[in-house]
Amino acid sequence: MTPSANSAVGAVLVTGTVFLALALCYRPLGDHMFRVYTGARHWRVERVVYRLVGVDADAEQRWPAYARALLAFSIVSVLALYALQRLQDHLFLSLGMPAVPPDLAWNTAVAFVTNTDWQAYSGESAMGHVVQTAGLAVQNFVSAAAGLSVAVALVRGFARARSDTLGNFWVDLVRGTIRILLPIAFAAAILLVAGGALQSFGGHHGWTTLAGGGQTLTPAGAASQEAIKDLGTNGGGVFNANSAHPWENPTAWTNLLQIFLLLVIATSLPRTFGRMVGDNRQGYVIVSVMAFLALISIGVTQTAELHAAGTVPQATAGAAPQWSGLAAEGREARFGVPDSALFASAATLTSTGSVDSAHDSYTAFGGGMLIFNMLLGEVAPGGAGSGLYGILVLAVITVFVAGLMVGRTPEYLGKKIGSREIKLASLYFLATPALVLLGTAVAMGTTAGRAGIGNGGAHGLSEVLYAFASAGNNNGSAFSGLSANTPFYNTALGLCMLFGRFLPMVLVLALAGSLARQAPVPVSAGTLPTHRPQFAGLLAGVTIVLVALTFLPALALGPLAEGLSR
C-alpha cells in the first residue's frame, strides 16, 4: 500500500474499479439468474434433492404455502444448527472444542439462518471444523438462497396476472443454491486460495511471534467460507478478526475481490427483475437508485476517514490519527484507509457482517454513516434478494405518495396499489424500525443492557444502536466496544434477528400474492412513468426522507452528537 493510496485519488480509483467490474457483470449475471428462475427444466441433481425432501417440483404454491415452506425450512435449520453446536464436544474434527453454551448457541443458530451471521464469539476458539462447515457454511448458502427466492416471488407477483401462485419455494431454493451460489463461490474460493487465503482442516499449530512469544492458531477452511460469506451477503468469518485476518483476506487485491463479491448479486438482480416484468428499463431505474445511494454513502465515509484529525471517537483517539490526518486506528496497513472505508460501506449497504477494519474506530461521522446504511434498509444494493424486495416495496410506497399528489389511484408495473397493498408495504417498512428502536430503548433502560457498553456518552449509545440496527436489518457487523456475549444480548439480538428477517419476508409474500391476483391495468395518459429519471429521483428522495424521519432522533443522540461535539 503506497502513501498515495491513502488519498482522495486512491479512493476514486478503487471505487471506480469496483463499480466498473459490477457494471460488466450486470447484464450476464442478471440474465443468468433470469434463466435460472424462469426455466422449466430441472437438473438431475435437483430432482434427487426434490425426491429426498418429498417435493413435487412441478406444483406451484400460493403465497401462504410459500411462506409456510420458508418458515418450516428455517425452523428446522435453527434447530439443527443449535443441536450441532450443543453436541460439538461429541463430534469428530471438533478440535477439542467444548459444547457451545445454550444462549450463545441460540444466538448463533438464529444469526446464520437469518443471513445475519452475528458473531458474539471468536470462531477459531469456539467452533470446530464440523460446525464451521456442515453447520455455518451450509447456512451461508441456503439462507442467501432463501432471500433470493422471496425476491423472485415478489417479482412474479408483479409479472403475473390473475394468478393464485408465486412459484415453488423448494425449487427456487434449490436452484438458487446449485445454479447461482455454488458455482460462483467455488470459483471465488479458488481465486482466494491463489491469493494466499488458507484452506486447511488441520489441528492446532503453535507459532513463535517476532517478539519471541508463543501463539496457538487453528487452521480452517477460510477460503471456501470467505467466498460464500461475501457472495451470499452473510458475513460470518472463520476467525474473530474476520476479513482483516491475513488467512481470510491476505492482500489488497483479495480485498477488492471480496468487496466485489459483496455487491455483485444484489446489483445484478435488477436486471433479472427487468427481464421478468418484460421491461429492462425498470431494472435500470432500480439499479441507478441503488448506485446513487451507494455512491453518496461511500463518498461520505471515505471523506470522513481521510480527513479525520480531531474527529476520531474519544475511545480510540490518539497521536497517530492526529499526526497523519486520517483515521488509521483499526485499519490494516495492507489495505489502507480508502479500501477499508469502501469495504465497510459495501458491508453495511448490503446485509453482510464482513469487516476488514474496526468499525468502532471510525470517526463519529464515518461510523454514523455505517449505521445509516443499515437503517436505510440495506437497499443500496442490499442483501442477496432482500435488497431487491426491499427497494421494490419502497417503490410501491413512492408511487402511492405520487398518486396522492395528483389525486389518482397509484399504479406500479400495471398493478393498482390499493389499500391492501399499501398497508402491507407500510407494515414492511415499519417492522424493522420498531425492532431496532425498541431493542435499543430496552438495552439502554436496563442494567443488563448498559453493562455491555464499553464507552460512555454518545458513543456508548452508538454502540447499542449499531448492534440492534445490525441485528434488525440482518447485517451482523458490530462496534467492537459492545460486550455482546451475555444472556441479555444473545437473547435480545436473537429475537431481533428472527423477527427482522421473517416478518418482512411474510409481508412481502403477502404483497406478492395480492399483486399476482390482479388483472393488469392498461397504461393511460395519467399513468406515472416509472422508467424515467424523474421516478428514480423520487424513489431515492422518498427512501432517504422516510429513514431520516424515522431514525433522526436516535442518530442525533448518538453519532451526530459525538461528531458535532469535537
Side-chain angles (χ1 to χ4, degrees):
M1 180 60 61
T2 62
S4 60
N6 285 321
S7 65
V9 174
V12 171
L13 286 175
V14 70
T15 305
T17 299
V18 171
F19 271 70
L20 176 61
L22 294 172
L24 292 174
C25 290
Y26 174 77
R27 184 165 183 169
L29 181 55
D31 288 346
H32 171 65
M33 291 189 287
F34 166 75
R35 290 188 294 270
V36 166
Y37 289 112
T38 58
R41 177 175 170 268
H42 303 295
W43 289 2
R44 183 174 300 177
V45 65
E46 294 170 350
R47 290 186 180 277
V48 172
V49 175
Y50 301 145
R51 283 197 295 269
L52 290 174
V53 180
V55 170
D56 181 0
D58 296 317
E60 293 211 340
Q61 298 169 316
R62 297 174 63 249
W63 83 259
Y66 201 104
R68 286 195 299 270
L70 166 70
L71 295 176
F73 175 75
S74 301
I75 290 171
V76 171
S77 297
V78 169
L79 295 175
L81 187 51
Y82 178 86
L84 206 60
Q85 295 176 83
R86 295 291 293 140
L87 298 173
Q88 177 173 243
D89 53 336
H90 300 293
L91 301 176
F92 70 103
L93 293 178
S94 64
L95 305 176
M97 303 286 188
V100 180
D103 60 310
L104 180 58
W106 141 264
N107 182 278
T108 304
V110 169
F112 277 78
V113 171
T114 59
N115 198 243
T116 310
D117 287 23
W118 175 273
Q119 293 178 288
Y121 61 91
S122 297
E124 62 267 47
S125 60
M127 304 293 181
H129 292 320
V130 173
V131 174
Q132 289 278 14
T133 55
L136 307 185
V138 167
Q139 287 305 316
N140 280 346
F141 279 98
V142 296
S143 65
L148 290 171
S149 301
V150 173
V152 170
L154 178 58
V155 176
R156 290 192 186 114
F158 285 112
R160 295 182 176 184
R162 302 185 182 91
S163 174
D164 285 333
T165 61
L166 298 174
N168 187 306
F169 169 75
W170 303 104
V171 172
D172 293 338
L173 179 75
V174 172
R175 286 188 177 187
T177 302
I178 293 178
R179 301 192 193 185
I180 299 173
L181 297 172
L182 271 171
I184 301 176
F186 180 81
I190 297 298
L191 289 175
L192 288 170
V193 169
L198 184 68
Q199 185 70 22
S200 169
F201 294 100
H204 301 291
H205 287 277
W207 302 81
T208 301
T209 66
L210 294 175
Q215 188 176 14
T216 300
L217 296 175
T218 305
S224 57
Q225 181 85 319
E226 196 75 13
I228 186 56
K229 85 167 192 185
D230 292 329
L231 179 66
T233 61
N234 300 280
V238 174
F239 302 104
N240 185 48
N242 207 274
S243 289
H245 199 294
W247 283 357
E248 287 195 26
N249 192 8
T251 65
W253 76 260
T254 60
N255 194 56
L256 287 182
L257 173 61
Q258 292 190 26
I259 295 172
F260 169 79
L261 291 173
L262 291 173
L263 299 166
V264 66
I265 286 182
T267 54
S268 299
L269 272 174
R271 171 71 179 188
T272 308
F273 161 67
R275 290 290 305 275
M276 291 182 70
V277 299
D279 187 353
N280 287 327
R281 297 173 300 176
Q282 302 292 340
Y284 290 130
V285 167
I286 295 299
V287 78
S288 66
V289 174
M290 290 177 170
F292 173 73
L293 295 174
L295 283 172
I296 291 177
S297 168
I298 293 167
V300 170
T301 306
Q302 288 180 331
T303 301
E305 301 310 296
L306 286 170
H307 302 85
T311 64
V312 294
Q314 184 176 2
T316 58
Q322 303 298 322
W323 290 342
S324 64
L326 48 83
E329 174 77 19
R331 281 34 163 214
E332 286 294 316
R334 67 185 185 276
F335 302 146
V337 171
D339 292 41
S340 298
L342 176 59
F343 194 112
S345 297
T348 51
L349 285 166
T350 60
S351 61
T352 314
S354 294
V355 294
D356 74 344
S357 56
H359 291 186
D360 200 31
S361 296
Y362 275 53
T363 63
F365 292 131
M369 194 68 232
L370 301 184
I371 297 175
F372 187 82
N373 290 342
M374 294 183 291
L375 299 179
L376 201 62
E378 295 176 327
V379 296
S386 61
L388 180 63
Y389 65 67
I391 200 165
L392 289 179
V393 171
L394 287 169
V396 168
I397 295 174
T398 300
V399 296
F400 178 78
V401 172
L404 292 178
M405 292 179 181
V406 298
R408 286 184 57 89
T409 300
E411 304 165 9
Y412 185 51
L413 302 177
K415 300 298 178 70
K416 288 186 177 181
I417 308 302
S419 61
R420 175 178 172 79
E421 288 77 22
I422 196 60
K423 286 175 183 177
L424 290 169
S426 300
L427 288 172
Y428 173 94
F429 176 80
L430 293 172
T432 302
L435 291 169
V436 172
L437 295 176
L438 181 61
T440 302
V442 171
M444 295 301 296
T446 59
T447 303
R450 293 192 301 272
I453 300 175
N455 298 284
H459 193 71
L461 173 60
S462 295
E463 290 177 351
V464 177
L465 177 62
Y466 192 112
F468 282 95
S470 179
N473 288 280
N474 302 130
N475 182 273
S477 62
F479 273 1
S480 55
L482 182 70
S483 298
N485 189 11
T486 66
F488 173 82
Y489 280 109
N490 281 334
T491 303
L493 293 175
L495 291 171
C496 192
M497 288 184 279
L498 202 63
F499 287 107
R501 174 71 164 179
F502 295 113
L503 181 56
M505 278 184 160
V506 171
L507 292 170
V508 165
L509 292 172
L511 175 62
S514 180
L515 293 169
R517 286 193 298 270
Q518 292 187 27
V521 179
V523 176
S524 66
T527 300
L528 174 68
T530 57
H531 60 276
R532 294 179 181 174
Q534 295 92 326
F535 181 74
L538 183 60
L539 175 56
V542 168
T543 301
I544 293 172
V545 169
L546 285 177
V547 174
L549 290 175
T550 305
F551 292 106
L552 184 58
L555 292 171
L557 292 172
L560 291 178
E562 182 182 5
L564 294 174
S565 65
R566 302 199 176 281

